RNA sequence: GGGGGCGUAGCUCAGCUGGUAGAGCAAGGGACUUUUAAUCCCUAGGUCGUGGGUUCGAGUCCCACCGCCCUCACCA
């Protein structure tokens, strides 16, 4: 996060003795005319490419290589030294000899763990069996003046094993650069994330979707029920909201004739933070003209199973002792039927008091239950009764109308909407509907939201008259879907906290 | 916001019923031409999160504050 104002003002005397030693080495290098921060290095191989090149050569001595990376292990022994370099691909050992390096060997005394160096030389296999570069030239590329909080690492049978190391979660999130630098497995999480998102783009592009960008700063927020962040535009002297969803802008594009659009970007919601909520998070929204929520189910099945297969090579994931099977088609359960099958409550006919009684019997705080009514009470019943059962990928269909002000009324039941959510492991992953495109119906739904706000519901959607005007021009029937990318990444990368799939999660500033 | 836990050397952690702080790794000096958590000898390293209080004496007990984690509430 932001560096505290005093951080840069730490004087030499206050710096740790470890850092002082590194600065002394830098000064000694520069006094000898050696730059501690080079401009570039002509690398011939990554560490992994070098290892492969040695195997391909099939001789005692392999090819000459020039590799670059960070020093992650340093074992000087008088007139020789071994060190390990780490680059983006992996690790490679280098063997340094005074009689082969000449003047470059003197540089060794000024090197530290964490420095970036370049090494060139011929590959060979040591007596201990490790493919290693016999250094003919050694170049300092960037001096590390502050030691990384790393543990000691040795090569194990199943990859490097680290002892000690960076454990403190606060330090890991605040100094993600250090976390990444010392934890290849954290780098891997974010490599997989990037791979997943680019696969999603290819998937949607392949279906003829157009990737678009809509405003993050909005004069009116909408498209979801959430409290927004508010900011101020100086030149216009007006408040602006950071978007809580892309929905209303993307549907304007359907009016404009862009039949298939999607956006991947950040939404901002001014609400609590926990292991599945960060104030800014990555949302995918996609809209398809002439489609309905049934088509969106097919789209979501293809997208979710495809990204899992692409990233992990399987559709069956072991998570917390259960096997999650993402082979389409996913299970389907109707909202009202699902509740009735598990509670003998029929949401179609149940009174508020019957629902409150049920909630109390399921250990919901009676005071809280008493505050809810109508749609929100139905939603609470659903959360208590049905949600925990939705472990395998399951579509929940046909939500009650009051909960879904942007969804089209169900074609066979006016009390419901054509909407589904995808649940996995009891957690929501996607939300989709047949999009409401009747401007008069949409106007009434907005008005209902305004009434709810007046009644004290502080997470309603404001009345967006420009959106109504757009619908009046005629929006084609369409299906739309939103998928929380961070939660999908938690599933793919098997991470328990959203903070572990966001590079720089929100934190209070350092005191 | 409620409840619980944690904060000690650069990192990972000990530190009992209160008696002025300890280890491993990292660091500095020395030895060492195939090591790999290299090894061996020596050395240095701390406002115990911050501020109060109790006490002859506080890392330890009490209070407040700061930060992080867990949990509940909130949350499409």
């Amino acid at each position: 996060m932001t560096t505290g104002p005093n951080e840069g003002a730490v004087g030499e005397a206050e710096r740790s003795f470890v850092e002082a030693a590194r600065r002394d080495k830098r000064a000694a290098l520069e006094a000898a005319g050696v730059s501690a921060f080079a401009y570039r290095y002509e690398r011939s191989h990554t560490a992994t490419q070098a290892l492969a090149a040695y195997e391909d050569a099939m001789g005692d001595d392999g090819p000459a290589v020039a590799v670059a990376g960070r020093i992650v292990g340093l074992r000087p022994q008088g007139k020789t030294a071994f060190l390990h370099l780490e680059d983006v691909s992996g690790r490679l050992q280098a063997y340094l000899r005074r009689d082969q390096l000449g003047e470059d060997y003197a540089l060794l005394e000024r090197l530290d763990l964490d420095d970036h160096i370049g090494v060139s030389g011929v590959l060979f296999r040591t007596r201990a069996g490790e493919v290693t570069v016999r250094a003919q030239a050694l170049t300092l590329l960037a001096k590390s003046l502050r030691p990384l909080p790393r543990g000691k690492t040795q090569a194990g049978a199943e990859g490097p094993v680290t002892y000690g190391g960076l454990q403190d979660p606060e330090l890991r999130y605040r100094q993600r650069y250090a976390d990444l630098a010392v934890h290849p497995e954290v780098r891997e999480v974010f490599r997989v994330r990037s791979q997943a998102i680019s696969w999603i783009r290819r998937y949607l592009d392949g279906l003829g979707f157009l990737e678009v960008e809509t405003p993050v700063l909005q004069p009116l927020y909408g498209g979801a029920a959430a409290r927004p962040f508010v900011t101020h535009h100086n030149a216009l002297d007006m408040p602006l909201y950071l978007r809580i969803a892309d929905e209303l802008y993307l549907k304007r594009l359907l009016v404009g004739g862009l039949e298939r659009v999607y956006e991947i970007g950040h939404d901002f919601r001014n609400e609590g933070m926990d292991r599945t909520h960060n104030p800014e998070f990555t949302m995918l929204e996609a809209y398809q003209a002439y489609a309905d929520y049934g088509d969106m189910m097919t789209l979501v099945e293809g997208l979710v199973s495809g990204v899992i297969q692409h990233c992990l090579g399987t559709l069956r994931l072991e998570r917390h002792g259960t096997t999650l099977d993402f082979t389409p088609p996913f299970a389907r359960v109707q909202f009202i039927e699902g509740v009735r099958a598990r509670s003998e409550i029929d949401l179609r006919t149940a009174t508020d008091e019957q629902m409150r009684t049920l909630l109390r019997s399921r250990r919901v705080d009676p005071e809280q239950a008493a505050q809810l009514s109508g749609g929100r009470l139905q939603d609470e019943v659903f959360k208590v009764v049905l949600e925990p059962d939705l472990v395998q990928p399951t579509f929940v269909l046909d939500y009650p109308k009051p909960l879904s002000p942007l969804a089209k009324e169900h074609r066979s039941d006016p009390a419901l909407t054509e909407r589904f959510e995808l649940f996995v492991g009891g957690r929501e992953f996607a939300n989709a509907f047949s999009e409401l495109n009747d401007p008069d119906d949409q106007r009434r739904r907005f008005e209902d939201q305004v009434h709810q706000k007046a009644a004290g519901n502080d997470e309603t959607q404001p009345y967006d008259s420009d959106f109504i005007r757009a619908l009046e021009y005629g929006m084609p029937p369409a299906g739309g879907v939103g998928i929380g990318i961070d939660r999908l990444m938690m599933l793919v990368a098997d991470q328990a906290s959203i903070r572990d799939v966001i590079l720089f999660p929100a934190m209070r500033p350092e005191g």
Side-chain angles (χ1 to χ4, degrees):
Chain A
M1 290 276 94
T2 313
T3 303
N6 296 323
E7 184 70 12
V10 174
E12 289 288 337
E14 296 168 65
R15 226 185 290 278
S16 82
F17 63 99
V18 180
E19 291 162 49
R22 292 186 175 207
R23 286 176 182 275
D24 289 347
K25 289 176 186 171
R26 177 199 182 161
L29 283 166
E30 289 177 343
V34 177
S35 169
F37 296 94
Y39 282 89
R40 73 184 301 276
Y41 187 78
E42 189 68 33
R43 173 159 70 175
S44 71
H45 296 69
T46 65
T48 298
Q49 286 168 348
L51 294 174
Y54 180 86
E55 298 304 331
D56 290 348
M58 292 202 309
D60 282 349
D61 274 2
V65 297
V67 293
R70 204 191 266 282
I71 301 176
V72 296
L74 185 57
R75 295 178 295 282
Q77 335 178 23
K79 297 186 183 65
T80 68
F82 287 89
L83 59 81
H84 271 98
L85 279 190
E86 185 177 273
D87 67 17
V88 72
S89 75
R91 290 173 181 229
L92 183 67
Q93 181 170 251
Y95 177 47
L96 282 55
R97 294 172 62 103
R98 175 181 278 173
D99 59 7
Q100 291 187 347
L101 268 172
E103 291 192 0
D104 281 357
Y105 198 80
L107 176 57
L108 182 66
E109 290 179 21
R110 310 291 184 214
L111 287 185
D112 288 291
L113 275 179
D114 311 322
D115 289 349
H116 293 270
I117 60 169
V119 178
S120 65
V122 171
L123 294 169
F124 74 109
R125 192 182 293 277
T126 64
R127 212 150 57 192
E130 181 164 350
V131 176
T132 300
V133 199
R134 183 183 284 111
Q136 281 150 3
L138 175 66
T139 313
L140 177 60
L141 301 179
K143 188 93 192 122
S144 164
L145 296 176
R146 182 189 292 268
L148 281 166
R150 64 168 74 253
K152 292 209 65 146
T153 302
Q154 72 168 335
E158 293 158 21
V161 182
T162 299
Y163 303 81
L166 179 54
Q167 299 297 327
D168 180 2
E170 179 173 357
L171 223 159
R172 290 187 48 216
Y173 298 138
R174 285 196 194 284
Q175 300 188 31
R176 182 67 93 182
Y177 36 87
D179 183 35
L180 288 162
V182 304
H183 290 135
E185 67 275 20
V186 175
R187 297 201 292 272
E188 177 63 11
V189 167
F190 291 100
R191 194 193 63 77
V192 169
R193 179 177 171 124
S194 172
Q195 180 189 24
I197 291 174
S198 59
W199 185 89
I200 290 169
R201 285 199 162 94
R202 286 199 299 280
Y203 175 76
L204 292 169
D205 293 346
L207 292 173
F209 282 83
L210 195 67
E211 181 172 12
V212 297
E213 295 171 273
T214 64
V216 172
L217 291 172
Q218 305 180 346
L220 272 184
Y221 59 95
R227 286 194 294 272
F229 287 92
V230 188
T231 186
H232 183 262
H233 190 288
N234 288 340
L236 297 177
D237 190 23
M238 62 175 286
L240 286 172
Y241 302 96
L242 276 67
R243 70 176 173 204
I244 59 173
D246 306 347
E247 174 151 357
L248 300 183
Y249 281 97
L250 293 174
K251 289 200 282 203
R252 284 171 168 94
L253 299 179
L254 296 182
V255 172
L258 305 182
E259 293 185 359
R260 297 185 179 197
V261 293
Y262 73 96
E263 179 161 13
I264 297 175
H266 277 199
D267 288 347
F268 306 83
R269 297 186 183 176
N270 205 342
E271 288 164 353
M273 297 161 56
D274 60 33
R275 126 177 23 145
T276 58
H277 295 83
N278 196 63
E280 62 179 301
F281 59 100
T282 303
M283 178 69 93
L284 161 68
E285 290 193 33
Y287 294 84
Q288 178 177 347
Y290 311 117
D292 64 9
Y293 75 144
D295 298 303
M296 290 298 103
M297 270 182 256
T298 307
L299 182 80
V300 169
E301 279 170 342
L303 190 150
V304 171
S305 64
V307 76
I308 288 171
Q309 179 72 43
H310 175 71
C311 292
L312 303 174
T314 176
L315 289 174
R316 297 169 65 84
L317 309 190
E318 297 297 330
R319 293 289 183 269
H320 317 113
T322 35
T323 301
L324 302 176
D325 188 349
F326 287 89
T327 308
F330 300 163
R332 284 152 169 75
V333 56
Q334 286 194 309
F335 191 98
I336 286 179
E337 288 304 316
V339 170
R340 183 159 63 189
R342 288 164 183 77
S343 70
E344 294 168 359
I345 284 262
D346 187 340
L347 292 175
R348 221 179 287 272
T349 56
T351 64
D352 284 5
E353 201 40 55
Q354 285 172 322
M355 289 191 276
R356 291 196 189 101
T357 303
L358 174 81
L359 290 177
R360 282 193 291 268
S361 76
R362 305 279 177 127
R363 291 197 295 275
V364 171
D365 177 18
E367 199 169 317
Q368 184 199 341
Q371 287 174 354
L372 299 173
S373 64
R376 300 179 84 194
L377 196 50
Q378 292 177 324
D379 195 38
E380 188 63 25
V381 168
F382 163 77
K383 281 183 179 174
V384 170
V385 170
L386 190 49
E387 224 177 69
D389 273 5
L390 305 175
V391 175
Q392 292 297 325
T394 305
F395 291 122
V396 177
L397 313 186
D398 302 337
Y399 281 61
K401 203 169 180 179
L403 290 173
S404 313
L406 300 166
K408 201 161 177 153
E409 183 177 295
H410 198 283
R411 64 196 75 183
S412 57
D413 186 339
L416 304 179
T417 54
E418 294 199 357
R419 171 185 177 187
F420 72 81
E421 293 191 336
L422 173 65
F423 285 83
V424 182
R427 190 177 293 162
E428 182 200 334
F429 279 78
N431 180 27
F433 12 97
S434 297
E435 299 296 338
L436 175 55
N437 62 340
D438 175 343
D440 293 335
D441 191 356
Q442 183 67 73
R443 181 182 291 112
R444 286 191 295 273
R445 308 274 195 107
F446 276 149
E447 283 165 355
D448 177 59
Q449 292 286 302
V450 172
H451 290 143
Q452 283 192 38
K453 186 182 181 72
N457 184 347
D458 60 354
E459 293 196 341
T460 56
Q461 309 202 20
Y463 191 105
D464 188 335
S465 56
D466 177 74
F467 179 64
I468 298 288
R469 177 169 62 188
L471 293 185
E472 285 169 346
Y473 283 117
M475 185 182 101
V481 63
I483 298 178
I485 294 295
D486 308 286
R487 291 183 186 176
L488 186 58
M489 289 307 114
M490 289 168 64
L491 183 70
V492 169
D494 196 13
Q495 298 296 310
S497 170
I498 198 168
R499 295 184 195 96
D500 293 318
V501 299
I502 291 176
L503 281 166
F504 297 99
M507 300 280 277
R508 277 199 162 80
E510 286 179 76

